[in-house]
Amino acid sequence: GAPNVSTATAVREQHGHDESMHPCAPPDAVVWPQAVGQVQELAALCHRNRVPMVPFGTGTGLEGGVNAMQ
């Protein structure tokens, strides 16, 4: 629901880049699961619908690994 999902531009841009030189490639949505079961359900849902999941930690990576390319 709303407290755990955001499609706001600012939130998406924050999660669409790290410390690398690569330009921002924001995801379509950002989700904050609160329990392991929610992570499992989210992974299953994304798998069924062929939606890529991009994990985001602190955003300090240097490779552009958090960029949502698809």
Side-chain angles (χ1 to χ4, degrees):
N4 297 325
V5 179
S6 178
T7 57
T9 301
V11 173
R12 293 174 44 239
E13 286 178 355
Q14 177 186 3
H15 289 82
H17 67 88
D18 53 17
E19 297 296 321
S20 70
M21 65 178 185
H22 302 288
C24 182
D28 294 329
V30 176
V31 180
W32 297 277
Q34 302 299 308
V36 172
Q38 290 177 338
V39 175
Q40 293 169 328
E41 290 177 32
L42 183 60
L45 177 67
C46 288
H47 178 73
R48 274 195 310 272
N49 293 287
R50 302 182 58 88
V51 175
M53 286 179 62
V54 180
F56 187 92
T58 59
T60 59
L62 300 174
E63 313 81 30
V66 299
N67 290 36
M69 301 309 293
Q70 295 181 1

